[in-house]
Amino acid sequence: MPLDAQPEMRLDSSTRSHRYYRNAVEKHWDPHEIDLEADREGATELPEPAFEGLKQSLALFGAGEESVTEDLAPLAVVLEDVDDQLFITTQLYEESKHTDFFDRYWREVIHAEEERRGQELSSPTDEQWFNDAYDELFERNERAMARLLEDDTPENRAKAHCHYHLTIEGILAQTGYYGLTLAYGEREPGLPSLPGLVEGLKLVRSDEGRHVGFGMAQLKSLVMDGEVDPDVLRDTVDELVPLVQDSLAGEGGASTEEGPGPSPSELAEYAYTKHEQRMQQITTASEKIPDVEELTELDA
């Protein structure tokens, strides 16, 4: 090798996936370092319907985080690029942390308040919290991911990213977290502030912004390289949106048109605007996927 020659390195720090990986490393957080004392006090001020609605929200999102942690594994298997693989390991780890956060919140805040109210302790995995649309949405995601192990075509990979990154993370999770953040972040006089929940959701949403950005970048590459027609993306998401809407019907206990918290129409407008913006960035050659710092901002 010539003296001035540079050896070929395994990692490429200039790639988007590597930057996402480094951003995840630098923004590490521990779900057990979030102070929940004020939330235990705030929960005592929740009216019974809002308390039940909060439990349903936490159960839905906690179960969702646990499910996607399991379902992401096939994508980790089929990715060939080492920087993509590095990023996926951080996403698997972060989904596990999100599951841990929701589980801890249930044990330390929800159970404490149920005991104070003289109620039987509930479980976040009880079937009462989930409807058929929610179950179907995650079953479809699981099938789309598992299909990669049998037939890893560009179209199947695009559909997997549409199920996981665009719909479950980009629409269901981020819209739900946005609504809960508004409801319990001192915006609404009808609900107490739950600062530990809001802090945890802010950190989760930051992670999810990075995850969605990775999926968007993978999809844009498939579309720009001519391997997948943009209509595949729109058709796949359009089939899933009704399941998302039905999954969140009545979710939260603080999301009615007349009650406190963001209304269903506000949440629907937020989800639609964000999704259309992402689709434009994915399918238009002149549009760019936002930089990782933009994606991990609170309103990403």
Side-chain angles (χ1 to χ4, degrees), residues 61 65 102 173-181 201 204-205 208:
F61 295 121
E65 295 290 353
F102 287 112
Q174 287 204 339
T175 302
Y177 295 150
Y178 169 76
L180 282 177
T181 300
L201 291 175
V204 169
R205 290 171 63 202
E208 300 285 7

Side-chain angles (χ1 to χ4, degrees), residues 11 13 23 47 82 89 137 146 152 157 166 178 182 211 265:
L11 307 182
S13 60
N23 183 267
V82 66
T89 62
L137 180 65
D152 181 24
R157 194 175 289 199
L166 289 194
Y178 169 76
L182 291 183
H211 303 169
S265 60

Side-chain angles (χ1 to χ4, degrees), residues 51-99:
F51 184 47
E52 289 301 308
L54 176 61
K55 287 194 283 187
Q56 183 175 30
S57 297
L58 296 174
L60 286 171
F61 295 121
E65 295 290 353
E66 181 178 354
S67 177
V68 295
T69 301
E70 300 168 351
D71 296 343
L72 187 61
L75 185 60
V77 172
V78 300
L79 288 173
E80 305 91 355
D81 183 83
V82 66
D83 288 301
D84 289 346
Q85 294 169 352
L86 284 175
F87 173 76
I88 287 295
T89 62
T90 67
Q91 184 170 350
L92 282 163
Y93 172 55
E94 287 164 354
E95 304 294 5
S96 299
K97 285 199 305 182
H98 302 170
T99 301

Side-chain angles (χ1 to χ4, degrees), residues 38-53:
D39 291 53
R40 285 188 283 270
E41 296 177 6
T44 65
E45 303 175 23
L46 281 169
E48 191 60 31
F51 184 47
E52 289 301 308

Side-chain angles (χ1 to χ4, degrees), residues 108-123:
E108 297 187 17
V109 178
I110 299 301
H111 278 172
E113 181 58 20
E114 287 175 335
E115 288 181 337
R116 192 193 70 83
R117 298 187 185 205
Q119 299 175 351
E120 183 179 350
L121 298 187
S122 62
S123 168

Side-chain angles (χ1 to χ4, degrees), residues 4 8 11 58-59 63 74 86 100 103 105 131 135 145 148 192 198 223 243 245 282 299:
D4 60 348
E8 182 178 352
L11 307 182
L58 296 174
L86 284 175
D100 189 8
D103 181 75
Y105 200 92
N131 60 26
D135 291 337
M145 283 290 172
L148 296 177
V198 171
V223 171
L243 292 175
Q245 294 171 332
I282 291 168
D299 63 348

Side-chain angles (χ1 to χ4, degrees), residues 269-288:
E269 180 179 359
Y270 174 85
Y272 176 79
T273 300
K274 288 294 182 183
H275 175 63
E276 284 301 307
Q277 182 183 64
R278 291 172 187 141
M279 288 299 297
Q280 182 75 7
Q281 292 164 345
I282 291 168
T283 59
T284 305
S286 60
E287 294 273 355
K288 293 184 178 180

